[in-house]
Amino acid sequence: MKCMGKSCLNHVRLCSLFNTQCIKTRHFISTSTSKTGASTSIEEFTALCSKGHVKEAFKSFRSEIWSDTSLFCHLVQACILRKSLPMGKQLHSLTITSGCLNKFFSNHLLSMYSKLRESQTAITLFDHMPWRNIMSCNIMINCYVQSGDLDSARNVFDEMPQRNVATWNAMVSGLIQFEFNGDGLCLFSEMHELGFLPDEYTLGSVLRGCAGLRSLRAGKQVHAYVMKSGFKFDLVVGSSLAHMYMKSGSLEEGEKVIDSMPIRNVVAWNTLIAGKAQSGHPEEVLDNYNIMKLAGLRPDKITFVSVISSCSDLATLGQGQQTHAEAIKAGACSVVDLTSTLVSMYSRCGCLEDSVKVFVESESMDPVLWSSMIAAYGFHGRGEEAIKLFERMEEEGMEADDVAFLSLLYACSHCGLREKGLEFFDLMVGRYGLKPRREHYACIVDLLSRYGCLEEAEAMIRSMPIKADAIIWKILLAACKIHKNADVASRVAEEVLKVDPQDSASYVLLSNVHASAKRWEDVSAVRKMMRDKNLKKEPGVSWVEIKNQVHQFSRGDRSHPKSKEIDLYLNELTTEMKFRGYAPNTSAVLHDMDVEEKEDSLAHHSEKLAIAFALMNTPGGVPLRIMKNLRVCEDCHLAIKYISETKNREIIVRDSSRFHHFRNGGCSCGDYW
DNA sequence: CTAGGGTTAG
């Protein structure tokens, strides 16, 4: 009964379009409502359609096809569903040969070609249509947009004598899809001025445009409109709104929007979770993930991507493995996007072997996946493997993009492969024609300066076509410390502080350089500047995951419940290490203290506390995985070598820039970091 | 015509 009602509606619509066919149509209604004949035939017909037998289906309903749009729609749907272009073309030619190609049917065909990504045929059809209407133009705008031809879309748009809201939506969303966010928003206000009322589609696109521009101001205006309009409770609008706030750095506002939604679907949860993941709140990602599951929602591949990438930020291997297992159970692991995240997560959690395993099992020819594997090798100081992988990427015919190169350069710089790195940089600019971004220059500066070519690195910064930021100068400054070059350091520090006068880390670095060069007066001058500006050193924090529980330590921190035991253990350990020849390296200690104080200050660096705690709480032979927010200092690096030997343990430390694998008194970085 | 996600310098 329901079906017949719909069919009648179609007849009415059709009659208004083609007055001439009204009689025939009426006749059809009367036959098709009789119980026996038509309904079984319709079933046969749809069966034929779903099997893809267009010709047979067409024959079985030859006379009625042209009078009942729903039948024609079935045929078109069949073509789209089976993504069968030949079938669609057949249908198209049948329409022509039977002389029935009219306004209504050609719009359906147009939309079919557009959906089957056959834009060329759609264009030809459109160009030869004597009866273009708003609908056909709208379809065409979308067709051009999805093939990336925004100019042609705009042409159709501009030349339309009349438009409706869908027209504006198609053009606005097209512009915004291709990140012409500003243009999209301008078009939106034009539409608004002309009196077209935005609907939920418009609002979704426009909010996405605001998010792309990180424009809170525009976003808030749209928000105000949403509250007035009837789309306050629309799921799509709500998620877009929250997304806009979070992208623009207003995490709280975004959360408020999500909280106010009467129903939350997976996408709404994902918006919240991804927002937190991307703005550096990985703990909250895990919390929300658990709440979401408790609320009875099923995480999908996008949830898993955010959660697993948060596990890499936190370096919580246990949590990462567990989420990986959940993703497998949910059947989401065959997706390449997730594979890239997994490769990165295992690498950043210190398990390079597992990254390799995930990578090899996937075997997708996806440049992002390969980039993440190259980066993973680089992170672990395996420059040779990174280069080999890149070369294989070229052999397999994959187009290396700027990120692939970034990962590669990064690997070279961390492994001291100066020549190779410079060679790849030339390759990128020359043969690949890629324009280096600031990040690429940063890698090259890192490569040169770590290697000891401080002047060359400085010249590179001064000559590059992009304005240097504080980060790039700081890379050089850090290298000045390693190579104990106070002259370059003073010059460079000046540049850093020009760009970012509040950067405490630079003062600390500068003071360290002076200290290593034993320029004590300069040291106290820098420290006075810090005091005057009320700047404090960013505290070093280390953490370790034991039995799925994360324990965090910072220097001199006595807040851990086992703090006393840790101290005792650490003292014993230090004595044992000194017996084996360990001598604390106090050169990097900032304060004017006596030797004993300096040693004591070093002995309680956060990574040492974390290692001591981990040694006390894990059985012998289990590798330790320690994470640190800053770079490992020279003394800790030396001390951990001794610890690995004394306790016969493999200790894996992730600092702010890379991994160190300590084993039998040595480190995988070869003291180059 | 409509929302959310992956790799990347320190």
Side-chain angles (χ1 to χ4, degrees), chain A residues 248-265:
Chain A
S248 319
S250 203
L251 211 59
E252 263 176 55
E253 285 295 319
E255 212 167 344
K256 249 192 240 165
V257 173
I258 299 275
D259 283 343
S260 72
M261 288 169 72
I263 349 160
R264 273 199 230 179
N265 61 1

Side-chain angles (χ1 to χ4, degrees), chain A residues 264-290:
Chain A
R264 273 199 230 179
N265 61 1
V266 191
V267 180
W269 277 101
N270 287 349
T271 308
L272 179 69
I273 288 177
K276 301 225 173 220
Q278 283 161 10
S279 44
H281 299 280
E283 299 95 342
E284 292 177 40
V285 169
L286 298 181
D287 292 343
N288 279 296
Y289 173 61
N290 289 324

Side-chain angles (χ1 to χ4, degrees), chain A residues 11-28 66-67 99-103 105:
Chain A
H11 284 292
V12 174
R13 248 189 243 149
L14 198 66
C15 290
S16 64
L17 277 169
F18 306 106
N19 283 325
T20 47
Q21 291 185 353
C22 274
I23 298 165
K24 198 178 166 188
T25 310
R26 261 189 223 118
H27 171 71
F28 178 66
W66 313 116
S67 52
C100 288
L101 188 63
N102 59 33
K103 200 186 285 189
F105 293 138

Side-chain angles (χ1 to χ4, degrees), chain A residues 164-170 172 184-185 187-207 221-232 234 237:
Chain A
N164 60 18
V165 177
T167 317
W168 290 89
N169 287 351
V172 169
L185 295 193
L187 204 63
F188 166 67
S189 54
E190 203 180 307
M191 154 186 186
H192 198 54
E193 276 161 26
L194 287 172
F196 287 94
L197 285 181
D199 62 8
E200 68 268 44
Y201 297 97
T202 331
L203 294 171
S205 300
V206 168
L207 285 167
Q221 282 176 18
V222 181
H223 191 173
Y225 181 85
V226 170
M227 298 316 282
K228 277 188 290 178
S229 73
F231 304 111
K232 201 159 55 161
D234 186 275
V237 174

Side-chain angles (χ1 to χ4, degrees), chain A residues 417-458:
Chain A
L417 301 169
R418 179 178 177 274
E419 296 312 317
K420 276 281 177 197
L422 292 172
E423 215 175 276
F424 284 127
F425 187 72
D426 287 340
L427 181 76
M428 172 178 120
V429 179
R431 220 176 48 199
Y432 279 76
L434 292 169
K435 212 170 120 208
R437 283 185 284 139
R438 182 174 285 132
E439 286 91 334
H440 295 96
Y441 284 108
C443 262
I444 292 295
V445 168
D446 194 42
L447 177 83
L448 292 171
S449 57
R450 245 178 234 273
Y451 202 80
C453 312
L454 301 174
E455 270 94 2
E456 204 182 327
E458 189 185 350

Side-chain angles (χ1 to χ4, degrees), chain A residues 1-269:
Chain A
M1 284 305 276
K2 208 177 167 189
C3 187
M4 273 175 352
K6 199 175 170 189
S7 169
C8 289
L9 193 71
N10 279 328
H11 284 292
V12 174
R13 248 189 243 149
L14 198 66
C15 290
S16 64
L17 277 169
F18 306 106
N19 283 325
T20 47
Q21 291 185 353
C22 274
I23 298 165
K24 198 178 166 188
T25 310
R26 261 189 223 118
H27 171 71
F28 178 66
I29 294 174
S30 61
T31 55
S32 69
T33 41
S34 73
K35 264 185 187 171
T36 43
S39 72
T40 44
S41 306
I42 287 179
E43 274 162 23
E44 277 166 25
F45 170 81
T46 44
L48 284 170
C49 283
S50 61
K51 280 182 198 152
H53 299 144
V54 175
K55 235 178 188 159
E56 288 79 349
F58 179 77
K59 269 183 203 154
S60 77
F61 257 77
R62 184 178 285 282
S63 54
E64 289 88 351
I65 295 254
W66 313 116
S67 52
D68 186 332
T69 46
S70 75
L71 296 181
F72 188 78
C73 287
H74 266 122
L75 279 169
V76 173
Q77 283 307 320
C79 299
I80 297 173
L81 209 73
R82 297 176 60 96
K83 295 191 173 45
S84 169
L85 192 62
M87 231 166 85
K89 289 199 164 166
Q90 219 179 344
L91 184 60
H92 186 179
S93 59
L94 284 168
T95 328
I96 297 172
T97 49
S98 49
C100 288
L101 188 63
N102 59 33
K103 200 186 285 189
F104 195 88
F105 293 138
S106 50
N107 279 355
H108 270 284
L109 290 168
L110 202 57
S111 135
M112 177 193 72
Y113 284 127
S114 169
K115 283 191 176 132
L116 292 178
R117 315 243 147 206
E118 180 69 8
S119 47
Q120 210 43 57
T121 317
I123 293 166
T124 318
L125 179 61
F126 181 71
D127 285 347
H128 293 91
M129 265 165 60
W131 42 57
R132 288 183 199 173
N133 59 10
I134 295 187
M135 178 73 94
S136 31
C137 291
N138 287 356
I139 296 171
M140 225 30 231
I141 292 174
N142 285 312
C143 181
Y144 277 126
V145 164
Q146 69 170 347
S147 59
D149 186 356
L150 287 182
D151 290 334
S152 301
R154 186 68 201 229
N155 272 338
V156 177
F157 179 85
D158 285 340
E159 280 164 21
M160 287 168 74
Q162 275 191 320
R163 300 175 189 140
N164 60 18
V165 177
T167 317
W168 290 89
N169 287 351
M171 201 60 233
V172 169
S173 88
L175 285 167
I176 287 167
Q177 253 177 60
F178 285 87
E179 298 198 66
F180 296 105
N181 296 311
D183 296 332
L185 295 193
C186 283
L187 204 63
F188 166 67
S189 54
E190 203 180 307
M191 154 186 186
H192 198 54
E193 276 161 26
L194 287 172
F196 287 94
L197 285 181
D199 62 8
E200 68 268 44
Y201 297 97
T202 331
L203 294 171
S205 300
V206 168
L207 285 167
R208 198 171 144 193
C210 299
L213 291 173
R214 315 261 185 283
S215 169
L216 259 186
R217 227 170 51 99
K220 278 187 176 162
Q221 282 176 18
V222 181
H223 191 173
Y225 181 85
V226 170
M227 298 316 282
K228 277 188 290 178
S229 73
F231 304 111
K232 201 159 55 161
F233 299 127
D234 186 275
L235 269 173
V236 179
V237 174
S239 289
S240 309
L241 197 52
H243 179 236
M244 180 278 297
Y245 276 118
M246 307 224 226
K247 270 267 155 122
S248 319
S250 203
L251 211 59
E252 263 176 55
E253 285 295 319
E255 212 167 344
K256 249 192 240 165
V257 173
I258 299 275
D259 283 343
S260 72
M261 288 169 72
I263 349 160
R264 273 199 230 179
N265 61 1
V266 191
V267 180
W269 277 101

Side-chain angles (χ1 to χ4, degrees), chain A residues 352-353 374 376-387 411 415 658:
Chain A
L352 188 62
E353 293 75 20
I374 292 173
Y377 278 131
F379 210 56
H380 286 261
R382 308 272 279 264
E384 299 292 342
E385 277 101 328
I387 291 174
C415 301
R658 63 169 300 148

